[in-house]
Amino acid sequence: MADFTTGPLNSVLVANRGEIARRVFATCRRLGYGTVAVFSDADSEALHTREADVAVRLPGNTSAETYLRSDLLIEAALASGADAVHPGYGFLSEKEDFAQAVVDAGLRWLGPPPSAIAAMGSKVAAKKMMAAAGVPVLRELSADEVAEADLPVLIKASAGGGGRGMRVVRTLAELPGQWEAAQAEAASAFGDGTVFCEQYIETGRHIEVQILADAHGTVWAVGERECSIQRRHQKVVEEAPSPFVQAHPELRAQLFAAARDAAAVIGYVGAGTVEFLVAPDGSFAFLEMNTRLQVEHPVTELTCGLDLVAWQLRIATGEALPDAGEPGARGSAIEVRLYAEDPAKDWQPASGTLHAFGMPGVAYEFEVPVGLNEPLLRLDSGVESGSVVGVYYDPMLAKVIAWAPRRAEAARLLASALAKAEIHGVVTNRDLLVNVLRHPAFLAGDTDTAFFSTYGLDVLAAPLASPETERVSALAGALAVAAANRAEATVLGGLPSGWRNVPSQSQRRVLSAGESEYEVRYRFGRDGLVAEGYDGVALISATPAEVVLDIKGLRRTFRIGRHPHTVVVDSPAGSVTFTLVPTFTDPADAVAAGSLLAPMPGSVVRLGAAGVGDAVAAGQPILWLEAMKMEHQVSAPVAGVLSALPVSVGTQVDVGTVLAVVEEVGAG
């Protein structure tokens, strides 16, 4: 077991990146510890790299080359003079071999004993251990044990989490194929293809209990969190306390007792989380134990008033939890994960330059304020304006957290801040998050793991900007571009570049947003702006950064962001990103009909059964891309013949790369 009682600490290396590295550094600075960052080549200019006292390069870009290299991480700690290693979450945070190697190197491991990590590292073994300790569990099933009465079932990877290796199976016919696919993904993600399945509860709630355990035998249950709203079995919205548990105090006592028992049976020390699936009738079963700090820990910090990272450090130096006992919850906290992804396109991850990133009303970053009375916003982010969102790591940009004395207040504050945020350059799930936070079912506390399917992803992922808002935003964008042109260039002895000697001739600008294209025509007459098709719209002012319009007596302000090839128009009614459509297009830009283009940068990890010359059915898988920790299936859009397959397993592709060509039957 790791030694939690030796001497003071001086300097902490975080074996991680991005937001969680910054989060740990923030507490270390407040407590006077030195900070050491590690960074891949892709992260050489990242915020966590620049903020640490010392930063150590890990040559390479991929996780396998860098953040998953335990030998390089330990070398970095020793070379930098760090005397402790904090693993963050993800990467090697739940690998007992890494924890033991850190201890063997004479460094302090800021996590639980390696033996505790090992005990919970296999979901199969962990469930058996929990059952023996009297903690409720779901019955484990092997592939040949599943009967019709057991359906639906959930296939899960034994060695990992985060949605990797998970498959919901609803028919016996699809079980063998899904089992094989889950094994392949688990082996790729965790180096262990062991999978199992259990009954899938369609409308269960994912509720977890935060624990803190010291080296003197005291175990605290520090409140519960509800994390039921998920995509691909990954959490999107988290809150504390759970509205369901809040209404059933006896359930809270049972969950807390089960969590303490789970920690005690494995000799747990440090911060961890015990996760449960709670059925609509209030019965519950153990899912897994996360032997690390959770992504969603800020909601517990804000409601319980504890800095969990500070307590990880204190426990690692032998400090005991206070005799006063577990803190109670205060108010309500809600956290959303802001991802660079497009929910409307099967959660397709996005990459590129984050041209602008601003969240209004943020009072704290990575901090646990004391004496809360008024609603507040906290931001835990790994990016800033100008950051590059790459293809090598998880696409989460930030966690935005609201606290308020009442849950409805926290939801309203968080939704408002997100709606007014300035996020330019990459597609995000921002509009989805706002729609969820404002949804009547969410506000009523009716959240379960089927939330997206129950209320419709097409509805929840709909843009905040209505079609009319988008149309008026196109006019605002066109006027801002014209204002910028006038400011940046002059002709004819100082006349503005937009000047025309034929006053009746309209200015013309074409902007596109998604599937919509707007041809904006306008001119300035004696009475001001005359825009074709925009009756009742008058121009108050226009600069390159802001356009103010009077729309049928209501004054609206539009903030403008101009970036290469795009114009982003922000307003309280929704943000719209427009592409400036050129007057002429290059024929060389055209691609062959039937081409399947890469929707994102990534790597080809698997090919389907069809080869060149084979007939394929509509929807038949052609290949799988891996990008940002997830696999994405690329399928034939129509029935036809696979006439070209220019890629192979291992091929790295950019957005728009031709992956395959399917010639439609009867086409031409």
Side-chain angles (χ1 to χ4, degrees), residues 105-344:
L107 301 164
R108 202 80 55 85
W109 171 250
L110 298 180
S115 58
I117 299 175
M120 293 293 103
S122 165
K123 289 185 176 65
V124 173
K127 288 180 64 175
K128 292 177 180 177
M129 187 179 299
M130 292 300 106
V135 178
V137 299
L138 292 173
R139 183 167 65 96
E140 178 193 332
L141 300 166
S142 62
D144 55 3
E145 289 178 320
V146 178
E148 192 75 35
D150 297 316
L151 297 172
V153 295
L154 178 64
I155 302 173
K156 301 173 72 174
S158 178
R164 304 299 300 270
M166 280 192 179
R167 300 287 192 282
V168 177
V169 178
R170 303 185 184 279
T171 66
L172 292 178
E174 64 179 315
L175 181 60
Q178 294 284 38
W179 190 275
E180 183 179 338
Q183 286 179 318
E185 188 174 4
S188 172
F190 311 117
D192 183 347
T194 303
V195 298
F196 67 98
C197 66
E198 58 194 16
Q199 184 181 8
Y200 181 58
I201 299 176
E202 295 272 11
T203 57
R205 289 173 180 260
H206 188 127
I207 295 175
E208 58 193 31
V209 178
Q210 176 71 55
I211 61 167
L212 277 176
D214 62 25
H216 309 282
T218 300
V219 180
W220 278 4
V222 192
E224 87 283 345
R225 301 184 284 257
E226 179 149 346
C227 311
S228 300
I229 298 180
Q230 304 179 3
R231 58 99 163 105
R232 291 180 169 175
H233 309 290
Q234 291 183 320
K235 303 159 190 173
V236 179
V237 182
E238 301 111 339
E239 60 179 307
S242 159
F244 185 78
V245 175
Q246 192 82 331
H248 301 84
E250 72 286 353
L251 175 59
R252 174 175 287 129
Q254 294 167 3
L255 290 169
F256 283 15
R260 294 189 199 97
D261 289 344
V265 76
I266 61 171
Y268 201 85
V269 178
T273 300
V274 186
E275 303 194 353
F276 299 95
L277 185 64
V278 179
D281 64 1
S283 62
F284 64 92
F286 170 83
L287 282 177
E288 62 182 351
M289 183 174 184
N290 294 119
T291 53
R292 53 171 169 80
L293 200 64
Q294 289 280 83
V295 178
E296 57 272 22
H297 74 274
V299 294
T300 296
E301 293 187 320
L302 291 177
T303 51
C304 292
L306 296 178
D307 184 328
L308 294 176
V309 174
W311 273 106
Q312 286 183 297
L313 291 160
R314 291 169 185 145
I315 289 170
T317 58
E319 187 170 334
L321 292 167
D323 294 335
E326 300 163 339
R330 51 180 185 172
S332 181
I334 305 172
E335 170 183 298
V336 294
R337 302 188 191 188
L338 183 65
Y339 283 100
E341 67 182 11
D342 190 344

Side-chain angles (χ1 to χ4, degrees), residues 8-14 33-38 53-56 72-85 105-108:
L9 302 177
N10 296 301
S11 180
V12 176
L13 177 140
V14 178
Y33 293 104
T35 55
V36 180
V38 289
D53 296 331
V54 179
V56 182
L72 296 183
L73 295 169
I74 292 172
E75 287 176 11
L78 295 173
S80 64
D83 45 22
V85 173
L107 301 164
R108 202 80 55 85

Side-chain angles (χ1 to χ4, degrees), residues 302-649:
L302 291 177
T303 51
C304 292
L306 296 178
D307 184 328
L308 294 176
V309 174
W311 273 106
Q312 286 183 297
L313 291 160
R314 291 169 185 145
I315 289 170
T317 58
E319 187 170 334
L321 292 167
D323 294 335
E326 300 163 339
R330 51 180 185 172
S332 181
I334 305 172
E335 170 183 298
V336 294
R337 302 188 191 188
L338 183 65
Y339 283 100
E341 67 182 11
D342 190 344
K345 294 184 178 178
D346 195 27
W347 310 100
Q348 178 180 305
S351 61
T353 299
L354 190 62
H355 295 302
F357 183 73
M359 192 69 56
V362 170
Y364 300 93
E365 292 190 56
F366 307 109
E367 194 170 340
V368 185
V370 296
L372 297 184
N373 292 303
E374 297 299 323
L376 62 86
L377 281 175
R378 167 174 157 176
L379 178 68
D380 286 18
S381 174
V383 298
E384 63 180 350
S385 297
S387 292
V388 175
V389 182
V391 301
Y392 299 105
Y393 316 114
D394 185 273
M396 189 175 76
L397 301 177
K399 302 179 312 196
V400 192
I401 312 102
W403 179 91
R406 286 165 286 278
R407 181 175 182 269
E409 292 175 327
R412 182 170 56 249
L413 174 62
L414 187 52
S416 177
L418 287 165
K420 296 175 181 177
E422 188 177 67
I423 310 170
H424 301 175
V426 295
V427 176
T428 73
N429 65 338
R430 179 257 302 274
D431 289 7
L432 170 93
L433 298 174
V434 175
N435 287 330
V436 168
L437 292 167
R438 291 175 174 170
H439 197 279
F442 178 84
L443 294 174
D446 295 334
T447 58
D448 56 42
T449 54
F451 191 88
F452 287 136
S453 59
T454 299
Y455 298 105
L457 188 57
D458 56 337
V459 174
L460 294 170
L464 294 178
S466 66
E468 178 59 20
T469 295
E470 187 171 283
R471 191 179 73 88
V472 175
S473 295
L475 172 61
L479 292 171
V481 170
N485 290 340
R486 289 194 299 271
E488 294 170 1
T490 58
V491 295
L492 301 178
L495 291 173
S497 63
W499 180 86
R500 293 176 180 270
N501 61 1
V502 183
S504 61
Q505 180 66 46
S506 292
Q507 297 265 27
R508 176 180 177 273
R509 175 73 63 181
V510 180
L511 306 92
S512 67
E515 302 296 319
S516 301
E517 188 169 276
Y518 300 91
E519 182 179 13
V520 179
R521 292 180 177 272
Y522 66 92
R523 59 185 174 82
F524 293 98
R526 293 181 180 274
D527 297 324
L529 175 71
V530 179
E532 297 178 16
Y534 290 91
D535 295 339
V537 178
L539 176 64
I540 304 300
S541 63
T543 70
E546 182 181 276
V547 172
V548 182
L549 300 174
D550 185 297
I551 305 171
K552 297 180 180 179
L554 300 177
R555 187 167 293 193
R556 306 285 191 188
T557 299
F558 299 84
R559 292 172 289 114
I560 314 297
R562 294 181 302 115
H563 311 292
H565 312 299
T566 63
V567 173
V568 184
V569 181
D570 291 319
S571 75
S575 177
V576 186
T577 298
F578 293 102
T579 299
L580 298 176
V581 179
T583 305
F584 304 102
T585 57
D586 187 345
D589 292 337
V591 297
S595 296
L596 279 66
L597 306 181
M600 69 205 76
S603 174
V604 178
V605 291
R606 283 191 287 151
L607 298 178
V612 174
D614 291 346
V616 295
Q620 179 176 334
I622 303 299
L623 54 83
W624 285 262
L625 280 179
E626 184 175 70
M628 297 181 178
K629 297 172 61 178
M630 297 297 293
E631 284 191 5
H632 304 269
Q633 180 176 299
V634 178
S635 304
V638 295
V641 174
L642 183 61
S643 62
L645 187 63
V647 297
S648 58
V649 173

